[in-house]
Amino acid sequence: MRILVTGGAGFIGSNFVHYLLDHTDDDIVTFDNLTYAGSLDNLGDALDNPRHEFIEGDICDTELVEDAVSTVDAVVNFAAESHVDRSIEGSKPFIRTNVEGTQTLLDAAIEADLERFLQVSTDEVYGEIAEGSFSEDDPLNPRNPYAASKAAADLLVNSYYVTHGLPVVTTRSSNNFGPRQDPEKLIPKFILNAANGDTLPVYGDGTNVREWTYVMDNCRAIDLVLRDGDVGEVYNIGSGHEMTNLEVTRRILDILGKPHDLITFVEDRPGHDQRYALDASKVRSLGWEPMHDFDDALRTTVEYYLDR
Ligand code: NAD
C-alpha cells in the first residue's frame, strides 16, 4: 500500500511513519508544512529510506493536496494545530487547519480511488467525564476551541462517508507521550525544566486526570484500524492508565532524582477539563492492547529528551 501521512513531521505522525517503515512494506508519503510543531529531525533516517517521500505542503493547499492524494491508496490525517493553550489564545489557525484542511483532504479523497481515509481524532471531542468512560456512541461535547475544531472535523469525515461513500475510519486516542513531542507539551516540558533545575508549573491544583498512552501503542492501534477497522466506524484508543497531572509530574522528578519542591501551582487553564477516560473495548476486540508499561515508557521518554 502507498500511504499519505499528513502531519508526519509532528509528534505522533513521525512515530507512525517510523512504525510503518519498520513493521510493514508500505510506501509512505509524508505531507507536512513544518509548523513550529513539525521537524525534519523527527523523520531522521526515514528521509533516506527509498520507501519514503517527503512533501512540504499545507493541507489547505487544494492543488498540492489533490496531486498528493491522487498517488496513494490511503490517507492518514494527523495534520493539526494541536495545543489547547494556543487555541485559547487564538482559534483561527485551528479552524483553518483542523477543519478547512480536513475538508480539503476529504474533497481530494472523493476524487481519488482510496482504500481508506483515516482521521486521527482525540478523546477531547467527548469533553470531560467525572466517572466511567466514553464509548464511541457518546455525544460529542468539546469544551475548548481545539477540541471543537477536532469535533467539527470528525463530523465532516462522517458526512463524507454517508454522503459520498468515502471509506473512512476514525481513531480517538487519549493523551500520548513519548519521543519527538514538541517541548511545549506537559511531559517533554517538565522533563526539560526538571533537568535544568527550573520550576514545573502545574495548572490549578494538579488534580486533572488524563489517560496516558505511549505513542507507539497508539501507532500500532492506528495501523490496525487502518487495515482491519470497519468503514464508517470510530475507534477509541486508550491504555486505561489514568493519572493526575500532579502524579505524572512527581514521577518525572523521581526518575530524574529531582526534589518535588520544583513543582509550582499556577493559575488554571480556562475551561480546563477535569478528567478524560475512554472505553477502548472496540479497538481491543480487533486484537489491540497496550504493550508498554507506563513507568518503563516514561523512563524511555525521559532518556530521549535528556539525549537531546
Ligand atoms: P503535533 O502538533 O506534534 O504535530 C502536528 C503536525 O501537523 C506538525 O508536524 C505540523 O507541522 C503539521 N501541520 C500543522 N498544520 C498543518 C497544515 N496546515 N498542513 C500540513 N501540516 C500541518 O501534533 P500531535 O500531537 O502529533 O497530534 C497529531 C494528531 O493526533 C492531531 O490530529 C491531534 O489532534 C491528534 N491527537 C493528539 C494527541 C496527543 O496527545 N498528542 C492525543 C489525541 C489525538
Side-chain angles (χ1 to χ4, degrees):
M1 203 159 45
R2 189 169 153 88
I3 304 173
L4 184 72
V5 180
T6 67
F11 166 43
I12 310 177
S14 62
N15 281 291
F16 187 67
V17 169
H18 289 291
Y19 178 86
L20 290 180
L21 291 172
D22 291 345
H23 294 93
T24 73
D25 54 12
D26 296 325
D27 291 325
I28 317 300
V29 182
T30 298
F31 189 104
D32 197 299
N33 69 345
L34 301 177
T35 68
Y36 76 94
S39 163
L40 290 180
D41 286 347
N42 285 342
L43 291 167
D45 56 11
L47 294 169
D48 302 320
N49 190 316
R51 286 169 43 220
H52 179 258
E53 184 187 333
F54 176 74
I55 298 174
E56 184 170 346
D58 187 326
I59 59 164
C60 298
D61 181 334
T62 303
E63 211 171 308
L64 205 54
V65 164
E66 281 174 356
D67 283 352
V69 171
S70 69
T71 72
V72 298
D73 306 299
V75 173
V76 181
N77 181 27
F78 290 94
E81 288 292 338
S82 67
H83 193 37
V84 175
D85 288 348
R86 285 177 184 261
S87 79
I88 293 168
E89 283 159 22
S91 60
K92 211 172 186 113
F94 287 74
I95 303 306
R96 183 181 177 277
T97 289
N98 301 0
V99 184
E100 190 188 324
T102 302
Q103 176 249 315
T104 308
L105 284 166
L106 289 166
D107 279 344
I110 57 173
E111 296 302 324
D113 189 21
L114 285 188
E115 287 172 31
R116 280 286 187 281
F117 183 104
L118 189 148
Q119 174 69 3
V120 178
S121 184
T122 167
D123 58 358
E124 298 207 23
V125 297
Y126 297 115
E128 64 180 8
I129 188 166
E131 283 171 15
S133 55
F134 285 117
S135 78
E136 291 83 354
D137 296 330
D138 279 312
L140 305 188
N141 182 25
R143 289 162 35 92
N144 61 63
Y146 159 69
S149 68
K150 294 294 292 184
D154 283 17
L155 296 177
L156 259 183
V157 167
N158 188 56
S159 79
Y160 275 64
Y161 164 63
V162 174
T163 312
H164 297 288
L166 190 68
V168 306
V169 279
T170 298
T171 60
R172 294 187 184 136
S173 87
S174 68
N175 271 46
N176 281 217
F177 70 102
R180 306 188 179 95
Q181 188 168 27
D182 190 90
E184 71 178 356
K185 301 284 172 58
L186 188 140
I187 287 187
K189 178 173 166 179
F190 283 5
I191 292 170
L192 294 172
N193 282 17
N196 292 327
D198 294 337
T199 56
L200 279 55
V202 172
Y203 277 137
D205 58 6
T207 58
N208 302 71
V209 174
R210 298 293 180 262
E211 182 181 347
W212 291 98
T213 301
Y214 189 58
V215 64
M216 275 305 169
D217 281 329
N218 188 22
C219 289
R220 280 178 31 253
I222 291 170
D223 184 50
L224 183 65
V225 171
L226 177 66
R227 288 159 217 279
D228 295 349
D230 287 334
V231 166
E233 294 293 317
V234 175
Y235 293 85
N236 289 342
I237 301 170
S239 65
H241 190 92
E242 292 184 34
M243 285 181 95
T244 65
N245 289 343
L246 191 55
E247 284 170 322
V248 172
T249 308
R250 287 189 180 133
R251 214 59 82 85
I252 291 169
L253 289 168
D254 291 344
I255 291 173
L256 286 161
K258 298 284 183 176
H260 288 192
D261 63 10
L262 283 178
I263 298 171
T264 57
F265 293 95
V266 297
E267 189 182 333
D268 209 354
R269 166 192 284 165
H272 200 174
D273 288 337
Q274 184 58 30
R275 176 174 175 264
Y276 298 132
L278 292 175
D279 173 351
S281 51
K282 193 166 162 184
V283 72
R284 282 176 181 265
S285 72
L286 290 181
W288 177 85
E289 57 178 5
M291 282 173 53
H292 292 89
D293 169 74
F294 177 83
D295 285 307
D296 292 344
L298 187 61
R299 239 174 253 113
T300 306
T301 306
V302 168
E303 280 161 21
Y304 170 86
Y305 290 103
L306 290 188
D307 281 350
R308 278 150 186 84

